[in-house]
């Protein structure tokens, strides 16, 4: 009985040992297979990632070289190896837009927007695409969402760039007041940078905001007094606003800078004309800054000049069929006090001085409508008549 029990125990021990060896072997085989499988999976994953990167790089290169159709194929291949990769999806959406697939690109970006509605870049792309679709309100809304959205890197710079782009878009849509508002906001948050101030000045000009534009040109000149672009533009704006003395100073300085740079012969005709005209204005204008006697002399000279122009225009009209009612009314004014008052009566009489100049200016304005644009000093008087800075009583 004892011997049988020992044999059974020995058999059991052998069986347990054999089972343990078998289990250990199976465990080792499983571990090896797991390691091999993991290795193969990781190798495959790495290979897919490498392929995705390779195809995305081809897509980027195709976009940069102006071949968006090739980029679309490459980026779709990249996404097949790396589904849902945001960077590749953004590039594909861009490539679709560059290739002219505006609607498809818009919808693709819209899908990305659903996941990240506050993303500045996505909103910017949607704004541009909405603009292409002539959806003005949509474009403006997306631009504003982009300005207030999130940006990677220097957000302040990117937001300012988007605001300037929005301003350009509004100018193109003839929404000049809105463009001016955006530009002034951009300028209020801008650093003291000459290039940016020059850009803002030029855009404000396009937005029909000459006074604001002039402010920024003056900022440029405060930092760079010899800046040729700012001198020309500021002189032109001052001229248009009727500030002929300041216009002449700026345009004369611009001419000196050109001469110093050896480019004196390349002065634009418009600048030369304004420089000559402003010089003649300063010689003819009866400014209140002048001594009384000189001012009176200029008023009488302007009256004589305008009267001759009136008489010449009247003779021309009589030769072709009779005087228009405007000229008849002017003739009555010239026969009145303002047309005959003498130097002594004008002295220390600002009201009469203003009345005489008004007659001269009215004459130049009305004769130009009837007999055509004047020349010479009559053209200078007409320029003063149209100016917001004409002599007041």
């Amino acid at each position: 009985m004892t011997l049988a029990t020992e044999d059974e125990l020995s058999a059991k021990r052998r069986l347990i040992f054999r089972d343990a060896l078998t289990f250990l072997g199976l465990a080792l085989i499983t571990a090896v297979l797991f390691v091999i499988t993991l290795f193969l999976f990781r190798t495959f994953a790495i290979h897919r990632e490498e392929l995705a990167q390779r195809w995305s790089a081809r897509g980027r290169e195709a976009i940069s070289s102006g071949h968006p159709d090739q980029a679309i194929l490459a980026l779709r291949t990249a996404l097949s190896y790396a589904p849902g990769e945001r960077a590749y999806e953004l590039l594909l959406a861009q490539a679709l837009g560059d290739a002219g697939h505006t609607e498809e690109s818009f919808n693709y970006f819209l899908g990305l927007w659903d996941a990240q509605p506050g993303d500045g870049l996505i909103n910017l792309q949607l704004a541009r695409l909405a603009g292409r679709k002539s959806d003005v309100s949509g474009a403006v809304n997306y631009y504003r969402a982009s300005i207030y959205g999130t940006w990677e890197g220097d957000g302040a710079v990117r937001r300012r760039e988007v605001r300037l782009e929005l301003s350009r878009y509004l100018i193109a849509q003839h929404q000049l007041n809105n463009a001016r508002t955006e530009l002034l906001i951009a300028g209020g948050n801008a650093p003291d940078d000459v290039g940016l101030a020059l850009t803002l000045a030029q855009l404000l000009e396009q937005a029909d905001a000459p006074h604001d534009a002039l402010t920024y040109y003056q900022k440029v000149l405060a930092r760079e007094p010899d800046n040729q672009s700012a001198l020309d533009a500021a002189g032109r704006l001052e001229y248009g606003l009727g500030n002929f003395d300041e216009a002449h100073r700026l345009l004369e300085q611009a001419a000196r800078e050109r001469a110093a740079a050896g480019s004196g012969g390349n002065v634009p005709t418009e600048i030369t004309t304004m420089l000559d005209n402003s010089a003649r204005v300063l010689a003819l204008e009866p400014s209140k800054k002048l001594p009384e006697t000189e001012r009176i002399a200029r008023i009488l000279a302007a009256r004589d000049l305008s009267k001759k122009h009136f008489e010449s225009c009247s003779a021309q009209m009589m030769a072709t069929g009779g005087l228009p009612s405007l000229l008849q009314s002017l003739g009555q004014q010239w026969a009145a006090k303002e047309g005959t008052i003498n130097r002594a009566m004008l002295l220390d009489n600002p009201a009469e001085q203003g009345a005489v100049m008004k007659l001269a200016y009215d004459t130049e304005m009305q004769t130009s409508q009837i007999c055509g644009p004047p020349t010479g000093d009559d053209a200078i008087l007409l320029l003063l008549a149209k100016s917001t800075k004409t002599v007041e009583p």
Side-chain angles (χ1 to χ4, degrees):
M1 186 71 178
T2 302
L3 292 172
T5 300
E6 289 177 356
D7 289 340
E8 288 175 359
L9 291 172
S10 178
K12 286 181 179 180
R13 283 194 293 270
R14 287 194 299 272
L15 182 60
I16 291 171
F17 181 72
R18 186 178 62 197
D19 288 345
L21 288 175
T22 301
F23 177 77
L24 181 60
L26 290 173
L28 288 172
I29 291 170
T30 301
V32 170
L33 289 174
F34 175 77
V35 170
I36 292 172
T37 302
L38 182 62
F39 174 75
L40 291 174
F41 175 78
R42 288 186 174 177
T43 301
F44 178 69
I46 291 171
H47 183 58
R48 283 175 63 88
E49 184 179 348
E50 289 175 349
L51 287 172
Q53 291 176 352
R54 190 180 305 166
W55 281 103
S56 70
R58 291 178 184 175
R60 285 191 182 90
E61 184 178 349
I63 290 174
S64 299
S65 59
H67 298 96
D69 289 321
Q70 297 176 16
I72 292 170
L73 178 61
L75 291 165
R76 280 181 170 154
T77 304
L79 283 167
S80 69
Y81 290 116
E85 178 62 41
R86 180 177 178 275
Y88 302 165
E89 289 179 331
L90 287 170
L91 284 171
L92 176 56
Q94 179 186 343
L96 287 166
D98 292 348
H101 306 302
T102 302
E103 197 65 40
E104 189 177 358
S105 176
F106 184 85
N107 291 333
Y108 207 112
F109 273 117
L110 202 57
L112 295 171
W113 181 90
D114 286 335
Q116 293 180 296
D119 187 282
L121 177 60
I122 293 173
N123 278 290
L124 176 59
Q125 295 292 351
L126 285 169
R128 291 169 175 171
L129 291 165
R132 286 194 209 171
K133 294 167 60 177
S134 300
D135 180 5
V136 177
S137 62
V140 171
N141 289 337
Y142 281 122
Y143 270 123
R144 293 207 167 111
S146 177
I147 291 169
Y148 297 108
T150 56
W151 287 92
E152 296 178 2
D154 194 340
V157 173
R158 300 302 300 274
R159 290 184 181 93
R160 184 167 57 250
E161 289 173 349
V162 175
R163 199 180 289 279
L164 291 176
E165 184 173 328
L166 169 59
S167 302
R168 292 186 179 94
Y169 179 75
L170 290 170
I171 290 169
Q173 300 305 314
H174 307 291
Q175 296 186 22
L176 302 184
N177 286 335
N178 291 337
R180 174 182 176 271
T181 299
E182 296 295 339
L183 289 166
L184 292 177
I185 293 172
N189 299 326
D192 188 12
D193 179 80
V194 169
L196 179 57
L198 194 57
T199 297
L200 287 166
Q202 292 165 346
L203 289 173
L204 282 163
E205 265 200 271
Q206 295 174 37
D208 196 24
H211 290 90
D212 297 315
L214 187 57
T215 297
Y216 279 95
Y217 282 126
Q218 289 168 345
K219 287 183 178 181
V220 173
L221 292 172
R223 292 280 302 277
E224 295 183 1
D226 58 348
N227 188 295
Q228 190 70 66
S229 297
L231 284 170
D232 284 349
R236 177 167 36 78
L237 286 175
E238 294 282 19
Y239 184 91
L241 293 170
N243 301 323
F244 298 109
D245 51 350
E246 184 63 12
H248 186 73
R249 183 188 70 79
L250 290 166
L251 295 173
E252 202 169 40
Q253 184 180 347
R256 287 196 300 270
E257 294 296 337
R258 278 192 172 86
S263 57
N266 298 324
V267 182
T269 303
E270 179 191 22
I271 298 297
T272 302
T273 300
M274 287 190 292
L275 182 58
D276 293 342
N277 285 350
S278 60
R280 192 58 186 153
V281 164
L282 296 180
L284 292 178
E285 182 184 17
S287 171
K288 288 186 177 182
K289 298 177 183 179
L290 295 171
E292 183 79 357
T293 54
E294 185 176 349
R295 173 176 159 78
I296 298 300
R298 291 193 181 192
I299 290 174
L300 293 173
R303 185 180 68 177
D304 292 344
L305 191 66
S306 295
K307 186 175 184 180
K308 288 180 181 178
H309 193 197
F310 165 73
E311 292 171 347
S312 172
C313 183
S314 298
Q316 180 182 338
M317 289 298 101
M318 287 296 292
T320 58
L323 285 180
S325 58
L326 278 177
L327 288 182
Q328 292 178 23
S329 175
L330 269 178
Q332 293 173 2
Q333 293 180 54
W334 277 106
K337 183 178 181 181
E338 291 79 10
T340 58
I341 192 170
N342 60 31
R343 182 187 304 271
M345 296 178 65
L346 284 175
L347 284 170
D348 299 320
N349 194 339
E352 289 297 341
Q353 294 171 17
V356 172
M357 284 310 303
K358 183 178 185 304
L359 175 59
Y361 290 148
D362 287 347
T363 298
E364 296 297 345
M365 292 282 284
Q366 294 180 31
T367 53
S368 69
Q369 297 172 20
I370 297 169
C371 295
T375 58
D377 285 347
D378 283 302
I380 300 302
L381 284 180
L382 178 61
L383 185 64
L384 279 168
K386 292 180 177 179
S387 167
T388 58
K389 300 291 183 180
T390 51
V391 177
E392 298 177 356

